Amino acid sequence: MKNFNFQAGTKILFGKNKINELADEVLNYSNRILITYGQGSVVKSGLLDAVKNKLEEKGIFYKELSGIQPNPRLTSVKEGVQLCKDHNLGFILAVGGGSIIDATKAMAAGFSYDGDPWDFMLRKAVPENPLPLGSILTLAATGSEMNGGAVITNDATEEKLPMGSDLLRPKFSILDPTYTFSVNKYQSASGTVDIMSHIFEQYFTPDSGTEIQDCIAESILKTCIMYGPVVLEEPENYEARANLMWASSLALNGLTVTGKMMGDWSTHMIEHEVSAIYDLTHGVGLAIIFPHWMEYVLNERNAFKFARLGKNVFGIAEESEMDAAHKTIEAIRNFFTSLNMPAQLTEVDIPSDRIKEMGEKACKFGPIGYFKRLNAEAVTEILEMAK
Ligand code: NZQ
Ligand code: ZN
């Protein structure tokens, strides 16, 4: 196990009616805020009205920015920055899924930066002194509610790139599982795949001596496998929604990568290239690409890690590590399929004519991956397997 510092700076307010604590939390930072949300789910569910009531009760001034899209766009980020500047706002509250929280983080960073916020994605600038932000999560998936990462799409260049800073961790996040009751089957399944993928990215690394981290990772996977199918059939099952919601945060708040050099993240980088061009739902892209990545990187030296996952998570007991590894990948693909997720790009009408371009773009800053380094040709091969 390598040395590490771990500080998951976000205060989590978990459970029913935790919104009652919202206004006091906000007032720790400002009494003039921007509320950000998406394309209507929080209006329809009544959550937005509840938020406004809570703020008004304590005399908090707010402006609103609506219409943030899944795969959030740079244009929304710029709009948010302008609103904060024009109205002298001191805090941003994201109400929604990962896309809303991500856009909010980029706004918070952009507020204190004179240049184009896209510079953060191009690695030309790092966030300094961002506006504080908080979130009310409505979809269990990305972990954005408890980490400092954000992924933004630039329509003009067909790029989708990450940025990150500990300074962008939400100051607090309200996790009330009842807010996820209205998430449809497709997004619930996609969110479950995303949580599991975050675990895979940090489980499949060349590090050793991280038994505690790997056991936590396996528990989170088992939780997803137990409750993912339940929420598709019983969307208002509180315990299932609650377990997935906490799994979302724990899977990507830095916990399971402690003591390791870093995560692999190549599957995410590849998926981002696909959704940058085709506006695919993130978890759906991961459901397609991850099993192909696993088949591509599997070799005699790393088969033991796949076999370990298979044994501890799926109960696979093969004598040969290689046979167990193959069975494990098959079990993961079958689980995704059982959630009605596709297994190939053609199933979501993505043609193969731009695969080489996506391979090159995924490696625009150099080879990707830590479990196995991948160059543009390797990424192209994985996408060819996935087509
Ligand atoms: O826009 P609205 O109307 O709110 O509808 C959304 C959207 O259509 C809907 N939804 C959200 N909560 C709902 C709901 N519908 C009914 N009831 C509710 N309670 O779900 C749709 C998808 O929302 P979105 O926020 O896009 O989903 P998700 O949370 O999966 O976020 C995906 C984005 O996060 C990025 C992805 O790349 C993608 O852009 N990621 C961010 C990460 C991070 N910051 O750490 C890591 C992830 O790996 C990921 O890359
Ligand atoms: Zn993800």
Side-chain angles (χ1 to χ4, degrees):
M1 197 186 301
K2 296 190 169 60
N3 290 1
F4 62 87
N5 293 354
F6 178 62
Q7 185 171 17
T10 303
K11 178 174 180 181
I12 296 293
L13 299 117
F14 192 101
K16 285 178 193 163
N17 301 320
K18 278 288 174 177
I19 196 176
N20 291 335
E21 296 169 40
L22 170 68
D24 286 338
E25 291 296 333
V26 169
L27 284 171
N28 287 330
Y29 304 96
S30 180
N31 60 3
R32 296 179 65 80
I33 78 166
L34 178 68
I35 307 173
T36 55
Y37 54 98
Q39 299 190 300
S41 71
V42 299
V43 178
K44 199 170 158 204
S45 68
L47 175 57
L48 184 68
D49 279 342
V51 167
K52 290 180 185 174
N53 285 339
K54 294 292 169 197
L55 297 174
E56 285 163 15
E57 275 170 18
K58 293 273 170 117
I60 297 170
F61 173 85
Y62 58 80
K63 298 299 286 185
E64 295 172 46
L65 177 65
S66 63
I68 297 171
Q69 293 162 265
N71 297 322
R73 307 305 203 271
L74 181 62
T75 43
S76 295
V77 173
K78 289 182 176 173
E79 263 183 81
V81 170
Q82 203 53 49
L83 275 169
C84 291
K85 287 186 173 166
D86 288 349
H87 299 278
N88 193 22
L89 306 178
F91 186 85
I92 317 181
L93 178 67
V95 188
S99 294
I100 314 307
I101 305 173
D102 283 9
T104 299
K105 290 175 182 170
M107 290 171 207
F111 178 82
S112 327
Y113 178 64
D114 283 339
D116 188 325
W118 190 245
D119 288 349
F120 298 121
M121 271 45 79
L122 294 179
R123 306 181 184 182
K124 289 185 186 164
V126 290
E128 281 175 32
N129 199 22
L131 276 183
L133 64 117
S135 85
I136 301 180
L137 184 66
T138 65
L139 202 171
T142 65
S144 189
E145 66 276 10
M146 204 178 173
N147 68 39
V151 191
I152 303 297
T153 294
N154 185 339
D155 274 338
T157 59
E158 289 187 321
E159 286 173 295
K160 176 174 172 178
L161 293 173
M163 65 183 283
S165 163
D166 275 339
L167 300 175
L168 295 177
R169 288 180 189 260
K171 298 294 180 195
F172 65 84
S173 283
I174 294 180
L175 273 54
D176 181 336
T178 65
Y179 298 157
T180 65
F181 285 178
S182 55
V183 179
N184 65 25
K185 287 189 184 197
Y186 183 77
Q187 289 293 343
S188 297
S190 155
T192 302
V193 172
D194 195 20
I195 299 168
M196 293 176 71
S197 299
H198 297 156
I199 293 297
F200 295 148
E201 297 279 20
Q202 300 167 100
Y203 185 89
F204 291 107
T205 77
D207 303 284
S208 58
T210 53
E211 185 65 19
I212 175 74
Q213 293 86 339
D214 289 341
C215 285
I216 294 170
E218 288 157 2
S219 298
I220 295 172
L221 289 176
K222 284 199 264 191
T223 304
C224 291
I225 291 165
M226 178 187 283
Y227 287 118
V230 174
V231 298
L232 301 197
E233 295 312 315
E234 304 167 38
E236 303 202 0
N237 183 316
Y238 182 85
E239 292 309 335
R241 290 292 194 185
N243 276 276
L244 287 174
M245 200 167 207
W246 192 217
S248 158
S249 306
L250 292 179
L252 194 47
N253 69 353
L255 177 64
T256 70
V257 81
T258 51
K260 302 187 174 196
M261 181 94 89
M262 57 184 162
D264 182 82
W265 296 113
S266 52
T267 306
H268 268 69
M269 300 300 277
I270 300 169
E271 194 289 321
H272 289 166
E273 293 309 328
V274 178
S275 45
I277 298 177
Y278 300 103
D279 202 15
L280 185 64
T281 297
H282 174 61
V284 176
L286 293 170
I288 297 170
I289 297 164
F290 235 121
H292 293 293
W293 173 88
M294 289 175 171
E295 276 162 1
Y296 184 86
V297 301
L298 173 63
N299 61 34
E300 289 294 341
R301 273 174 293 115
N302 62 33
F304 76 95
K305 199 74 196 254
F306 290 91
R308 174 190 164 135
L309 189 149
K311 178 165 177 260
N312 294 346
V313 176
F314 291 100
I316 291 168
E318 292 294 315
E319 273 195 12
S320 127
E321 279 178 345
M322 193 48 92
D323 289 349
H326 283 298
K327 284 230 156 115
T328 302
I329 298 170
E330 196 183 313
I332 291 166
R333 182 176 278 130
N334 288 343
F335 177 70
F336 291 168
T337 306
S338 77
L339 298 178
N340 290 319
M341 290 283 106
Q344 300 293 141
L345 293 169
T346 45
E347 292 174 51
V348 285
D349 297 327
I350 291 183
S352 50
D353 55 334
R354 296 181 73 178
I355 280 181
K356 189 162 176 287
E357 177 191 340
M358 290 190 277
E360 281 161 9
K361 281 170 83 182
C363 298
K364 66 166 100 30
F365 297 115
I368 56 174
Y370 171 46
F371 193 59
K372 184 172 173 123
R373 294 299 272 171
L374 304 176
N375 59 18
E377 287 72 39
V379 174
T380 303
E381 234 175 284
I382 292 169
L383 285 166
E384 286 287 344
M385 291 161 72
K387 75 184 180 191

